[in-house]
Amino acid sequence: MSSLSKIVFVTGNKNKLAEVQQILSGTIQVESHKVDLPEYQGTTQEIAKKKCQLAAEMLNGPCITEDTCLCFKAMNGMPGPYIKWFLDANGPEGLVKMLQGFDDFSAYALCTFAYCEGPGHEAIVFEGTTDGKIVPPRGPRTFGWDCVFQPDGFDQTYAEMSKEIKNTISHRFRSIETLKAHLSQL
């Protein structure tokens, strides 16, 4: 059992916080703290490590950070870590339009959590993916690109699913499961 009873999740996104708290419920207490971190460029792992290490220094203690990507296979994984900016600029319909002219609407959702035990420590990265496809928007538009991502094996988008189902199949769930295993060893 972990000697760590609570962890700070560096996020200002209430939807992400609620998902993480639900998935980690009964394992570790999750508190949120919003920290203004730079938007780094690079691979998902490089971005996650830099952000988490900086957050641990700013908070002077252990923390986790999270980055989510939506990766189109037809575009060799783009927009990837830049999905937030593509979504802000074009909306969900624009994400679908980006794939016009391609025969491949397959995609994968990638979640990268990083954990850093404090200032001066290296961040450790935990990733999870869910394969699916990009579809015209369906369901509530309250959580990023969930309304255009339909996981393989399901006829609903993330946005149409109950939180209970989504939180057992999502990229975030898969990433958190590997993080949870690491935290239980501390």
Side-chain angles (χ1 to χ4, degrees):
M1 188 66 186
S2 175
S3 62
L4 197 60
S5 61
K6 70 177 179 177
I7 190 86
V8 174
F9 178 26
V10 179
T11 187
N13 184 317
K14 65 180 176 25
N15 291 318
K16 285 183 184 181
L17 175 63
E19 276 191 10
V20 170
Q21 287 174 325
Q22 182 178 359
I23 295 167
L24 287 176
S25 176
T27 304
I28 190 168
Q29 183 183 349
V30 180
E31 298 177 353
S32 73
H33 193 91
K34 186 176 180 185
V35 175
D36 240 351
L37 296 170
E39 290 292 338
Y40 293 110
Q41 294 187 29
T43 68
T44 56
Q45 291 193 0
E46 291 168 345
I47 292 168
K49 283 182 178 183
K50 287 179 187 175
K51 283 176 69 171
C52 195
Q53 285 174 207
L54 179 58
E57 286 178 23
M58 294 171 79
L59 296 171
N60 198 33
C63 67
I64 56 175
T65 59
E66 184 263 8
D67 281 287
T68 297
C69 301
L70 184 60
C71 308
F72 301 161
K73 291 184 181 176
M75 295 183 169
N76 296 316
M78 292 305 285
Y82 311 109
I83 187 61
K84 174 184 174 183
W85 308 110
F86 281 80
L87 181 62
D88 286 351
N90 300 299
E93 290 82 5
L95 296 179
V96 177
K97 285 181 186 176
M98 287 172 57
L99 289 170
Q100 286 180 345
F102 290 99
D103 293 331
D104 187 357
F105 281 76
S106 62
Y108 59 95
L110 169 66
C111 180
T112 306
F113 268 91
Y115 166 75
C116 186
E117 66 180 272
H121 292 275
E122 187 78 19
I124 303 167
V125 173
F126 308 89
E127 291 189 316
T129 61
T130 299
D131 290 322
K133 64 183 177 183
I134 303 302
V135 298
R138 298 193 319 254
R141 295 172 183 232
T142 55
F143 196 3
W145 42 263
D146 277 11
C147 63
V148 298
F149 184 75
Q150 181 177 311
D152 287 348
F154 293 85
D155 61 359
Q156 295 178 310
T157 64
Y158 271 171
E160 295 172 301
M161 293 179 171
S162 70
K163 287 181 181 6
E164 292 75 23
I165 292 173
K166 180 186 175 195
N167 288 344
T168 62
I169 62 141
S170 75
H171 54 299
R172 188 167 291 113
F173 167 77
R174 291 178 174 146
S175 180
I176 289 174
E177 284 296 297
T178 61
L179 170 64
K180 190 185 332 183
H182 176 77
L183 293 176
S184 71
Q185 301 302 310
L186 298 178

